[in-house]
Amino acid sequence: SGNATTSAHGQPICGNLTAPTLSGCTVKAAGFTFNATCTTSGTWNLCASSGGTSSLTIPQNGVSCSASVFGQTCHATSTTAGAFTANGSWTNTGSKATFSGQNVPVVTSGGFPCPSSNTAVFGASYCTSPALTITAN
C-alpha cells in the first residue's frame, strides 16, 4: 500500500479504529506481575498532528481484561463512566502514535487477592497502515 500525505488543513487528522488488538497486558498484585488477557470493543478514534502530538479516544467499556492471580480470576473494565482520551506523541517515521503512563478509569472485580483500583495505567503504540505522513503547509 502507498503513502498518504496530508496538509495542515483541518488538523488534527483523525480517523476511527475498529477494536484494536492489545498485547503485553499485565496486572500487579501482592508484589507480583501476572499476564492479563485484554479484549477491545467499539469504535476507537485516533488523531495526530504535524506538531508531534496525538490522541486516542477509548469508547465506554472499550477494554475488558482478565487475569488469574493465585488461582482467582480478576477482571477490569475500562472507561465504564464514558469515553476516555489518552494524549500522546506522533512521529511521521513509521507513522506511529505512542501513549504512555495514562491513568484510565476502570472498574475492578474478583475479590482477594485481585487488585482493587479505580484506575489502570495504559500505554500503547499504534502504526497506521497505509503509512500516514502529516506535513504543515
Side-chain angles (χ1 to χ4, degrees), residues 11-92:
Q11 284 200 44
I13 306 302
C14 296
N16 288 336
L17 314 173
T18 303
T21 301
L22 300 180
S23 61
C25 302
T26 59
V27 63
K28 293 181 182 174
F32 296 93
T33 300
F34 301 88
N35 290 330
T37 301
C38 296
T39 58
T40 62
S41 62
T43 301
W44 297 40
N45 186 269
L46 176 68
C47 295
S49 75
S50 63
T53 61
S54 65
S55 66
L56 179 68
T57 301
I58 302 169
Q60 184 170 350
N61 300 319
V63 180
S64 178
C65 298
S66 62
S68 178
V69 176
F70 300 121
Q72 180 72 21
T73 301
C74 306
H75 297 280
T77 303
S78 76
T79 68
T80 56
F84 174 82
T85 300
N87 294 305
S89 62
W90 171 261
T91 178
N92 284 332

Side-chain angles (χ1 to χ4, degrees), residues 5-13 48-51 133-137:
T5 302
T6 91
S7 69
H9 295 295
Q11 284 200 44
I13 306 302
S49 75
S50 63
T133 301
I134 304 174
T135 58
N137 284 349

